[in-house]
């Protein structure tokens, strides 16, 4: 499989997981939290899926396509290891969907960052909230969900915070 | 359609066109020419499709994934407006497949660059050669080919140099 093939599969898996997550949280109140803005393509997909929800976006420094930059008041700027701690006061238990894809292009580094951030992300989730993630997440409070049809195990990840 | 949707469609169209091009030039001798390396994903797909062909790659400055950097002797480094002119002496009429995707992220700029480069690319193609391109190419020496099934017109482009 070429890198073009595997990139397409990863993007298709990401989209299928976000679309599935949108169904799963349909009856659940709460914010959407995008952890990593990047070029803003996924953020654009999230705002298409969730026109009626507030979408908060964590990013170190905005470098997205001009049409995909969130409003200033929805941006949580800085190192997520710090900003997620600071956000806990007002965001704790109020997020219905979090999406984690830092996309440094280095799988081992993504995985290490995910491990470091997991204890900061999980307390933000409300009971029943969904976490969609590129790296796998290991946390006893999270139940692993079945992936949408056609997505190979491990290509993307879906979790639900235990009620 | 979100930007994630349209990005996935563009990549799928690109891959389908390259796969189709590989069938079309099966009986044709000649080099492969990648015009724009970028992150090297498409180059990786090309070397999977054409393990037995020499693949030349034009790029201003290499910034690809380390596993997708072509051998030094296959790189044509510099501004394509100059390097393609210089390459005409040894590459003229010897290319069986050229792929053009500069991907500046700005459609109008890509289109303008394509127009500027077309008279430098076409003389490199052998009779019957295929040109796959993200921007449309306007040239009387090129016949427009039907796109693979499922690819909407205009999403990607396939041309054949008149024999």
């Amino acid at each position: 499989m070429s890198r073009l093939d595997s990139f397409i599969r990863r993007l298709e898996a990401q989209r299928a997981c976000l679309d599935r997550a949108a169904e799963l949280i349909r009856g659940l109140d709460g914010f959407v939290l995008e952890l990593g803005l990047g070029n803003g393509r996924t953020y654009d997909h999230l705002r298409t899926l969730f026109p009626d929800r507030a979408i908060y976006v964590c990013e170190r420094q905005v470098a997205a396509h001009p049409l995909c930059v969130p409003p200033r008041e929805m941006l949580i700027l800085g190192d997520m290891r710090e900003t997620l701690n600071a956000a806990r006061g007002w965001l704790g238990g109020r997020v219905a969907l979090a999406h984690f894809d830092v996309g440094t292009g280095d799988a081992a580094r993504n995985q290490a960052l995910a491990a470091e951030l997991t204890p900061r992300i999980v307390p933000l989730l409300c009971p029943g909230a969904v976490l969609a993630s590129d790296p796998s997440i290991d946390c006893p409070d999270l139940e692993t969900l079945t992936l949408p049809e056609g997505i190979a195990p491990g290509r993307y990840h879906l979790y639900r915070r235990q009620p």
Side-chain angles (χ1 to χ4, degrees), chain A:
Chain A
M1 201 191 330
S2 71
R3 287 178 58 85
L4 179 62
D5 289 323
S6 73
F7 185 58
I8 290 174
R9 285 196 190 192
R10 199 184 81 80
L11 291 174
E12 287 170 340
Q14 180 188 69
R15 179 176 57 180
C17 285
L18 294 175
D19 293 355
R20 166 68 57 87
E23 290 165 30
L24 290 168
I25 67 162
R26 189 162 291 153
L28 197 65
D29 266 351
F31 302 132
V32 172
L33 179 63
E34 169 75 322
L35 299 149
L37 176 64
N39 52 45
R41 273 191 296 257
T42 313
Y43 168 69
D44 190 49
H45 197 70
L46 289 172
R47 66 183 174 183
T48 306
L49 285 176
F50 305 105
D52 300 325
R53 289 189 198 250
I55 306 176
Y56 288 96
V57 179
C58 293
E59 183 55 280
R60 192 183 287 268
Q61 201 176 354
V62 172
H65 188 282
L67 295 176
C68 299
V69 175
R72 182 63 192 89
E73 67 274 19
M74 304 310 285
L75 279 168
I76 303 172
L77 289 174
D79 186 323
M80 280 190 260
R81 285 169 295 199
E82 293 158 19
T83 58
L84 290 178
N85 283 344
R88 190 161 170 180
W90 57 277
L91 208 54
R94 301 183 69 194
V95 170
L97 169 64
H99 172 239
F100 182 75
D101 180 11
V102 286
T104 66
D106 175 338
R109 214 172 121 203
N110 292 354
Q111 198 65 57
L113 182 62
E116 206 174 350
L117 292 180
T118 297
R120 295 168 172 86
I121 295 169
V122 174
L124 306 183
L125 304 175
C126 65
V130 171
L131 170 61
S133 176
D134 178 295
S136 64
I137 305 277
D138 184 20
C139 174
D141 297 331
L142 296 175
E143 169 199 3
T144 301
L145 299 177
T146 311
L147 295 174
E149 209 184 313
I151 309 300
R155 186 159 293 141
Y156 224 79
H157 303 87
L158 274 177
Y159 303 95
R160 180 158 30 197
R161 182 164 187 186
Q162 307 281 4

